[in-house]
Amino acid sequence: EGIGFIDFSNTISTNHPGGLLNEMTTIYSIVNSLTYNLEEIKQVKILIGGVEKETLAGHCLLLLPMDMDLSITDVTPPPAKTAATLQ
């Protein structure tokens, strides 16, 4: 279905420095790395300790799969694949 699941140990939450910007940076560095570099992954679902968690450190919801969001980076989105480019 294009969803990549990634499971971290509880350490990612317990040792996280917190704060909205720090949490967004952590989450989107993971999501963007996977969706940008692996064509088959369109969204990423982050699990912690093998289960769904509401947030990583109290700010950003993790309950739904997440799409690439390059708005906090200076990276340009990859070119869209079309039928013409696949031939």
Side-chain angles (χ1 to χ4, degrees):
E1 292 181 32
I3 300 174
F5 290 81
I6 187 158
D7 186 13
F8 291 95
S9 71
N10 290 323
T11 306
I12 195 168
S13 287
T14 56
N15 290 342
H16 198 276
L20 177 60
L21 187 56
N22 285 334
E23 193 169 336
M24 284 180 63
T25 302
T26 300
I27 290 169
Y28 282 104
S29 67
I30 296 163
V31 172
N32 292 343
S33 292
L34 292 170
T35 56
Y36 191 93
N37 292 299
L38 301 172
E39 184 177 304
E40 62 274 14
I41 296 179
K42 307 297 181 217
Q43 295 179 307
V44 175
K45 176 71 174 139
I46 296 174
L47 304 174
I48 301 172
V51 297
E52 287 185 320
K53 296 286 184 172
E54 190 171 328
T55 67
L56 178 65
H59 296 92
C60 300
L61 289 176
L62 298 177
L63 297 176
L64 297 173
M66 303 180 84
D67 296 311
M68 180 189 308
D69 182 352
L70 299 173
S71 65
I72 62 173
T73 72
D74 61 357
V75 176
T76 16
K81 304 268 188 216
T82 64
T85 61
L86 296 175
Q87 294 178 354

